[in-house]
Amino acid sequence: MGQFIARSLEAATIFTFAGLGELINQRSGILNVGIEGIMLFGATLGFIVTKTTESYLLGFLAALVVGALLGLLHGFFSITLGVDQVVSGMGVWILGFGLTTYIGSPYTGPLGLERIDTIFGVSPFFYMAVILVLLTWFVLFKTNVGLKVRSVGENPSVAEVSGIRVTRIRYACTTIGGMLAGFAGAVYALFYNPVWNYNFLMGWGFIALALVFFSMWNPLLLSGGALLFGLLWQLSLNPELFLPGIFSRYIWRMVPFAITIVVLVLISTKWFRLRWGAAKPEALGQPYYKD
Amino acid sequence: MGMNERVQLQQGDLWRDVRPGEVILEARGITKRFPGVVANDHIDFEIRAGEIHAILGENGAGKTTLMNILFGLLQPDEGEIYLRGRRVQFRSPLDAIQMGIGMVHQHRKLIPAHTVIENILLGHPQAGSVLNLKQAEEKVAALAERYGFKVDLRARVWQLSEGEKQAVEILKALYRGARILILDEPTSALTPPETERLLEAVQAMAQDELGIVPFITHKLPIVLAISDRVTVLRQGRVVARMATREATEQLLAQKMVGREVLFRLQKPDVTPGEPVIQVENLAARNDKGHLALDGVSFTIREGEILGIAGVSGNGQHELAEVLAGLRPVEQGRILFAGQDITHLPILDRWRLGIGYIPAERIDVGSIGDFSLIENVLMNYYFDEGFVRQGIIDYDKAYRLTERLIVEYNVATPSPRVKARYLSGGNLQKLILARVLSRKPRLIIANLPTQALDVGATEFVRNKLLAAKAQGAAILLISEDLDEIMSLSDWIAPIYEGRLMGMLPAAEAKKETVGAMMAGLQQEAYAS
């Protein structure tokens, strides 16, 4: 039972890191649907670096760097070139999926290192995630930088005439968002499930993406959603633990994704937009050109 | 020392000891060329401390260019700007803001989802890394108090009225230390009481030795009421500068347009004919699902204009859309020449002879990326003459467009130009042309002269009167009471979705109509 909760929290931690990255992105008005790709990159490179150097630190660093670079790349396409952000994000995902499969397959198998120590029975990343959630909330809603980020995401031209450098803020957010996604991937591959396998991430990035919409772009709600999905995921692995005999495990395995689809459909309805639409960053997904 | 601090020091220096009436900004020989036009042609003018200096000009006279140069959004090709005798260059709005220039935009530059105080603090160099809202609120509240603005600083901007939003923009500029305030069409979205309050605030700011520069296209009475000095632009040049007390409405209009402007329209004497449209007990809902029209009934006969007077948001737009077939009817019926058209599709209404001039000329009235020809075709594509076996006869459409451009005075190099390149006035003329040229029996004109300059306004009104003379029935929706009074035969003030009465224009008093628009009084006349 304790084990079950600890594992759920660990899964929730990964959703939180990736979701926070995406939330910061979207608050600045940039949609990155390719975080799954960035997570795959972070996971795979982190795994390879750690496996070859036997250093967790270097593995996580590698994941942060490659995440930042991919965030920058998505930023370059969507900010500087003004490409459709969904297209650019899908590009990042496909690149991640294809390339990591190619470079990762020789390393298929377990990491073979001792697991990172837990603190009071929970992963150290859990504490990091809690701090990061509170920090992100504070920065977004209580500081000048946060006000700038939110303003750029709501209406870049208003921000511009107020003297804000829109491009710079957006690049910073896509880069940080990429780093967090890369880190989330590394936590998955180096801690949660330290075995490299073909498509081992199984769509966690997309769940994190849905979580951001689910969270009304609020870090606190996001962490709540992450907990829920973490529990669901763990439940889907061991349904017999709580609900023996109800549905096969394959149906449970599907539940997080089914909920994701339901959430995405709900938030696209007219009803939702009229009632809750105000929470969405107004300029989300729209390229900005100075006139 | 950071960049911001350096400029702050400069500004502190720059604005020390301003004497009343001294020249604080001087523009010399400002010239800006765009491909094919000289938007600003050696413009000179000066702004004095404590003076309200209106810049007047039609659309396309170069006002916007000049404003953008003063605010650092554009750089002049020639000419210099001096602040208190010191030469300055604004490479960006940030430069201008830091030198003490504030801008109040016509299309508000505020973020609706944020609170008032967040909007005011956005981009402020002393906002602090962790926002100190309390301290900022105290300072802003003091400014608001001083100039008589009443705004809840914790409210979200989307909850505010137009007048309050404008107050927020002014406060934002003042809080950033503006000493010269540029006001872009300051009264265009305001109700009469809000306008009154703005004028008082502007006067109070002038008392504090600020320089105030309102840019105005129409609303000449505002210029006379608000300013101490006027500079008139036409075709990029200064054509007149004078003290306001020496100016009259007539004189300013003449300088702006370059010819005599008739403010008195000649209403043609038309005997009303058969009823064209009869509306009975009409009800409809708005986009949010609330009842926007309730029990509306009226009749318009051939050669009659019915003016719907009302403050925006009282159901007049829904009324126009219902008649045009764009919005479903909840209750009641619409008869066109005796035929029930309550549920008739839009295209059939066009064919019957209903013409619609929408209020949103850019979003609904035209497609910006289409040529003028294609935009004209939108009212003609269903005509046999223009389409044969599904193939559009572009030659014929070209000739029609060419003819309409000449007849309606649309300033454009060619019919093949994209509609988005037309100015507001020219676009409205084109929309008017394609509607009126079909000789509709009913014209629904929603805000036909909104945001047009004096010349274009006069043109549109005369065209509507000409259509009336030829027997068209016209439903005129306008927020401009003077327009309603001067064009209509009947006036129906609208308030919260109900017509408050039906007054014969010849006997209607402005005060009565104004009171009925505010829902204060209901009078029943038979139409």
Side-chain angles (χ1 to χ4, degrees), chain A residues 270 274, chain B residues 284-292 318 327 330:
Chain A
K270 193 177 173 192
L274 285 179
Chain B
R285 292 183 182 277
N286 64 16
D287 291 340
K288 290 186 183 133
H290 303 305
L291 210 56
E318 285 79 4
R327 185 174 288 279
E330 181 94 357

Side-chain angles (χ1 to χ4, degrees), chain A residues 159-164, chain B residues 4 8 11 93-94 96-102 119-126 143 170-179:
Chain A
E160 189 88 47
V161 293
S162 302
I164 311 295
Chain B
N4 279 347
Q8 283 300 308
Q11 186 185 338
L94 192 57
I97 291 170
Q98 284 169 341
M99 298 278 194
I101 311 278
N119 269 285
I120 290 175
L121 277 178
L122 179 62
H124 196 286
Q126 263 105 50
L143 275 174
I170 294 175
L171 288 171
K172 177 169 180 164
L174 294 178
Y175 187 61
R176 286 198 81 162
R179 300 303 304 256

Side-chain angles (χ1 to χ4, degrees), chain A residues 142-144 150-151 161-162, chain B residues 118 122 128-129 131 172 176:
Chain A
K142 296 289 163 191
T143 69
N144 199 8
R150 286 186 291 129
S151 302
V161 293
S162 302
Chain B
E118 281 179 335
L122 179 62
S129 334
L131 295 173
K172 177 169 180 164
R176 286 198 81 162

Side-chain angles (χ1 to χ4, degrees), chain B residues 79 130-131 262 303 339 430 436-437 459 477-478:
Chain B
V130 177
L131 295 173
L262 299 170
Q339 178 190 347
L430 186 82
L436 297 190
S437 59
F459 185 90
I477 296 174
S478 178

